[in-house]
Each structure stands twice: as C-alpha cells, then as structure tokens.
Amino acid sequence: MKLGEPSLDQLRIFIAVADHGSFGGAAKAMGRAVSAVSYGIAQLEAQLALTLFHREGSRRPVLTAAGEGLLAEARSVADRADALLAKARSLHAGQEAAITLVVDVMVSGEVTAHVLGAFRQMFPTCALTLRIEGLGAVAACLIEGEADLAIGGPVIGDQPGLERQVVGEIDLIPVAAPSHPLARAGIAAGESRRHLQLVLTDRSPMTEGREFSVLSPLTWRLGDLGAKHSLLREGLGWGNMPRAMVAGDLASGALVELDLPEKPGAQYRLSALWRRDARLGPAASWLVDAFREGL
C-alpha cells in the first residue's frame, strides 16, 4: 500500500482536534470553519489509510488506537517546523543563528551557568557552543576565528584586532592548605620563594615568556584550574585562586588565605572581547550585558 504525504497543516488540524476534543473547538482555536477542519482530518486519514478518530456513538471525536500512536509523532513534526520557522524569523530580524562563546576559566561556573540558563530562555533558537579557556587562549580563539565572543582577563594586553568592554572583576587571593608552612602567621619577606607555587599556564603562545604573580622559582605549571584547586587542597603547594571559587574551602577550613608580605593577590579584570571586523548581533550583545550584571 502506498501512503500519501500529509501536509503540515493537516497535522496541525489533527493536533488541534485532539487537544480541544471537538471539531468545533479546533475550528474556533484555528480561526477556521468546522467544515475545513473536518475536511482536513478526512484528508489526513486518507493519506495515512488509517482512522484517527471514532465519530459514531459520541458527540465528541475520540482518538482511535492508531490516532493515539501517531499523535506524539505529529506533535514532534509540528514542533520541529515551529523551531525552523522561529529560526528563520530570527535570521530575518538579524539575530544570530549560532554563537561560539569563550569564557575565561577564572569566571565562576555558577555565574556562567546562570547567564546561559537565562540565555536559553531568551534566545531558544540560537545554537550555542561554549569553550572554557585560560589566559591568552581566550583571545586566541577570537583571533583565529574560532569564536564570536569572549569573556576574558587582562593578561592578553591590547590586541589591535579586538574590541574590549570591561564587564567586571574577580578577586584573586593566595591560598594553601592549613598544614602548609606558609599558612602560619608572621611569614617573612621572601619565604614564599622557598615553596612550590602552583601556576596556571597558558595553552596558547600569546603570553609566552611572561609571568603573572609568579614569586617562586619552584613551580608546577597546570593547564587546568580544577586540577590546581585539587592540588592546593592536598597541600602540594600554594597559589592564587578566584575567591568565589574557594569560598567554600575557606569557610570549611580546607584552605586558608595566605598573608604574604608580597601580596601576590590581584583584581583580575574581565572584559567582553570580539573581533573589530565583526558586528555583535542581539544575542551576543545580550550576553555581554548579562555577564556584566552577573559579575
């Protein structure tokens, strides 16, 4: 048996009758004549060679077993069509179809999650790719054309091909496990140089040859802030961490803030970055504002 190909309009009529429980209710909701709804269902049943509603013995159409089985599929097709049309309307309005966002590893995961949760509600048709990078690798993604927007720190300097807009600051503080020698009071100047410092390293060549708040010649270079956090908790060294990221450890005593004479902590300024040869669309502009409010 060769089946026909139902139209999207026929599927929408089918869904409306099932949802409203009558041809009249569906007709009113869709702004159609009852006869047009009845004809649409008859045509759909003919296309599928199936009876979708019981009509005899009841004033209200009741889904048959076949109708029950096909209703979910009809909804799925209609939903995908709605999504396609919504994306097309967004493109006509200038909204981006997709955005690749790079966020500095220093930004709290809670802040990023909150912003992106709101983004999903505000721009449901915009496909998002998220990358987490550190130091110069954030800007490198933009310069190499791998991202549309970045939330990055100050260590990359002024790149001539990038626009920059400050969105907030993160408080970096030196921490160590409470058992670490630097955790005691009255640390002398220069004492930090005698102990292993855990340092976040740049995965890109953009900051090659430059050091940031590195005091000790004894260092372990780590490309992952989560790994650095774990090693600090284990007492394997000392290092700077975002205050928000270690707030729970400071409260529980798993880590302590170090009182070092050199004061190696810093305010890590965050900026929204994008290429100067690109124009921010409404979704990317919204992200800039959301991170500014969240930070």
Side-chain angles (χ1 to χ4, degrees):
M1 177 185 299
K2 184 177 180 180
L3 302 180
E5 295 184 2
S7 69
L8 181 60
D9 186 60
Q10 290 168 354
L11 295 179
R12 292 193 190 281
I13 292 173
F14 173 40
I15 295 167
V17 173
D19 286 346
H20 294 280
S22 69
F23 286 15
K28 184 176 181 181
M30 300 183 75
R32 306 275 189 92
V34 174
S35 59
V37 170
S38 178
Y39 179 76
I41 293 297
Q43 288 294 104
L44 178 60
E45 290 178 325
Q47 294 275 11
L48 299 177
L50 292 169
T51 300
L52 302 176
F53 292 98
H54 292 297
R55 298 175 178 78
E56 295 78 15
S58 174
R59 296 181 61 186
R60 300 176 65 84
V62 177
L63 283 168
T64 63
E68 289 277 5
L70 291 176
L71 182 60
E73 296 296 333
R75 291 191 194 279
S76 178
V77 171
D79 287 345
R80 288 197 296 270
D82 287 340
L84 183 148
L85 292 172
K87 180 159 287 192
R89 284 192 291 269
S90 297
L91 290 171
H92 282 296
Q95 181 188 308
E96 308 90 325
I99 291 178
T100 296
L101 169 69
V102 188
V103 176
D104 195 300
V105 69
M106 295 293 185
V107 178
S108 162
E110 287 76 12
V111 169
T112 301
H114 177 75
V115 169
L116 296 189
F119 177 84
R120 185 179 182 186
Q121 297 296 318
M122 184 67 65
F123 301 96
T125 66
C126 183
L128 180 77
T129 298
L130 174 66
R131 293 181 59 173
I132 305 296
E133 297 288 352
L135 303 175
V138 176
C141 290
L142 289 173
I143 293 170
E144 294 167 9
E146 298 175 358
D148 306 296
L149 176 68
I151 305 297
V155 299
I156 56 176
D158 291 324
Q159 295 294 324
L162 298 181
E163 295 286 359
R164 177 193 296 264
Q165 188 177 121
V166 174
V167 294
E169 290 185 333
I170 292 175
D171 190 15
L172 294 181
I173 59 172
V175 296
S179 60
H180 194 278
L182 293 178
R184 67 180 188 274
I187 297 298
E191 181 70 14
S192 59
R193 293 196 295 270
R194 298 178 54 200
H195 298 278
L196 177 68
Q197 183 176 356
L198 304 181
V199 179
L200 186 68
T201 190
D202 196 342
R203 298 189 222 213
S204 80
M206 294 193 65
T207 59
E208 190 173 355
R210 299 169 61 192
E211 299 282 20
F212 306 97
S213 299
V214 178
L215 302 183
S216 175
L218 308 172
T219 61
W220 281 4
R221 307 283 172 155
L222 307 167
D224 182 85
L225 193 62
K228 179 179 178 180
H229 188 188
S230 298
L231 295 181
L232 288 167
R233 286 172 55 94
E234 288 296 318
L236 294 179
W238 71 275
N240 284 330
M241 289 289 290
R243 183 182 293 277
M245 200 170 293
V246 296
D249 297 306
L250 296 175
S252 69
L255 291 173
V256 295
E257 183 175 354
L258 303 182
D259 184 16
L260 301 179
E262 296 84 359
K263 303 299 180 186
Q267 291 300 115
Y268 191 83
R269 179 171 290 182
L270 289 164
S271 299
L273 306 163
W274 63 93
R275 292 173 61 99
R276 286 182 178 169
D277 59 3
R279 183 181 67 86
L280 291 187
S285 297
W286 184 94
L287 282 169
V288 173
D289 292 337
F291 273 103
R292 183 186 298 109
E293 293 174 6
L295 291 166

